[in-house]
């Protein structure tokens, strides 16, 4: 039976990418050696690293004001690396409270400077995104989570801000066109739209760095990894290779515009059915509905387990909601086909 993978992350990857990745583990580029048993300093892997950086730049349209690095420690490590590298103790950063991941970022930022939570949707269980809030012009940056994986909210228009925006794009990176000009830093764990868990992508504008007074441990200083092309220490070679294949696939699909249209079509198909079918209801304010994670409920809670059984019987995987909110969630990341 064909499986339809609606998992929230780690998540579906393109079938062609999985096939090439499997082959590279067996025999990398016909070398007779596995990708995961060769030196990361060799020419073959260097080419992988270079192409991965170049594809990120190309897809996002980053000019030479931007740096790109592949790091480890998950998006969760960016919750502290961002303030550690950007925010002095006597400065303030603005944060939006749009759910669990945003809250983890807020908690870590408080270790390094002042945090002003400028907007929150907590009072409605994070089922909408707060709008029209003010950000002080002396804030170092405004932190947002572009897509809130657990609740199924996604900024369709990012908040207006006179200070650079730092964005956690873990669950919607490369899913639609992005104008990078309001951003100072973008980060994302790979395991939804880019590749396997184990690598985190960071794009940072050069002028954001070199500002903090504190002494940074070498491995936690963005400049270390930028200077050495993400090769200061042994990088996670397999996850980075799979990212490269996925980025190639996105480019072959027509880039972010084409991917965005494809994602829009998938999401509208599912939301239209949720709205039409009296057995289901959506949980998120219509204008904030995520194109990546579609949260919904059975109108009668007693129907939920029957629905999940129908899914299981039909090869539909991963539609149980996050344990903190319950209900149902279908994640429609880039690689999911319209047919699913
Ligand atoms: N931010 C968002 C929006 C996420 O969805 C997740 C994980 N699901 C994280 C951060 C944490 O990522 P990681 O597990 O890579 O630390």
């Amino acid at each position: 039976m064909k499986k339809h993978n609606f998992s929230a992350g780690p998540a579906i990857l393109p079938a062609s990418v999985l096939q090439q990745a499997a082959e590279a583990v067996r025999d990398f580029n016909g070398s007779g050696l596995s990708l995961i048993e060769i030196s990361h300093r060799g020419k073959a892997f260097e080419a992988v690293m270079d192409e991965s950086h170049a594809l990120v730049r190309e897809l996002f349209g980053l000019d030479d004001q931007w740096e790109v690095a592949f790091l480890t420690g998950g998006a969760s490590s960016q919750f502290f690396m961002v303030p550690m590298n950007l925010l002095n103790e006597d400065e303030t950063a603005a944060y939006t409270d749009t759910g669990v991941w945003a809250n983890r970022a807020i908690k870590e930022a408080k270790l390094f400077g002042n945090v002003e939570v400028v907007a929150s949707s907590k009072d409605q269980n994070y089922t909408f995104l707060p709008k029209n809030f003010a950000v002080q012009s002396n804030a170092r940056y405004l932190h947002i989570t572009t897509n809130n994986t657990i609740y199924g909210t996604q900024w369709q228009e990012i908040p207006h801000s006179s200070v650079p925006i730092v964005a956690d794009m873990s669950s919607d990176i490369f899913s639609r066109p992005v104008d990078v000009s309001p951003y100072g830093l973008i980060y994302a764990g790979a395991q939804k739209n880019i590749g396997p868990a184990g690598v985190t992508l960071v794009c940072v504008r050069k002028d954001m760095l070199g500002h903090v007074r504190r002494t940074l441990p070498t491995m936690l200083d963005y400049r270390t990894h930028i200077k050495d092309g993400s090769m200061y220490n042994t990088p996670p070679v397999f996850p980075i290779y799979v990212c490269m294949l996925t980025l190639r696939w996105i480019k072959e699909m027509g880039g972010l515009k084409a991917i965005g249209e494809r994602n829009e079509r998938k999401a509208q198909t599912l939301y239209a059915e949720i709205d039409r079918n009296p057995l289901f209801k959506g949980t998120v304010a219509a204008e904030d509905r995520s194109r990546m994670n579609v949260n919904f409920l059975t109108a009668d809670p007693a129907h939920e387990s029957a629905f999940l059984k129908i899914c299981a019987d039909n090869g539909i995987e991963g539609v149980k909601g996050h344990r903190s909110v319950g209900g149902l969630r279908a994640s429609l990341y880039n690689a999911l086909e319209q047919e699913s």
Side-chain angles (χ1 to χ4, degrees), residues 8 73-77 79 101 145 147-149 168 170-171 189 191-192 200:
S76 297
S77 292
F79 297 159
W101 305 116
T145 311
N147 183 77
N148 295 278
T149 328
D168 175 357
S170 293
S171 51
Q191 64 270 20
K192 289 120 174 29
T200 308

Side-chain angles (χ1 to χ4, degrees), residues 75-198:
S76 297
S77 292
Q78 295 311 305
F79 297 159
F80 69 79
M81 269 184 86
V82 163
M84 189 184 225
N85 281 262
L86 306 186
L87 184 67
N88 281 312
E89 232 168 65
D90 53 356
E91 292 174 328
T92 299
Y95 275 72
T96 47
D97 165 24
T98 55
V100 163
W101 305 116
N103 269 284
R104 290 203 182 170
I106 289 168
K107 175 173 177 237
E108 300 302 302
K110 285 179 177 168
L111 302 171
F112 297 96
N114 303 312
V115 170
E116 192 192 354
V117 177
V118 289
S120 173
S121 48
K122 188 176 181 183
D123 61 342
Q124 288 183 44
N125 299 321
Y126 301 116
T127 53
F128 75 104
L129 292 169
K131 318 237 167 34
N132 302 321
F133 51 85
V135 179
Q136 303 281 355
S137 60
N138 65 347
R140 227 352 235 158
Y141 59 82
L142 166 69
H143 183 281
I144 64 169
T145 311
T146 50
N147 183 77
N148 295 278
T149 328
I150 295 176
Y151 316 90
T153 60
Q154 180 185 35
W155 299 98
Q156 299 310 328
E157 227 172 284
I158 63 160
H160 173 75
S161 169
S162 59
V163 302
I165 296 179
V166 171
D168 175 357
M169 286 196 192
S170 293
S171 51
D172 67 351
I173 193 158
F174 299 135
S175 70
R176 56 182 179 177
V178 171
D179 166 16
V180 295
S181 58
Y183 296 99
L185 190 149
I186 293 167
Y187 64 90
Q191 64 270 20
K192 289 120 174 29
N193 271 334
I194 329 183

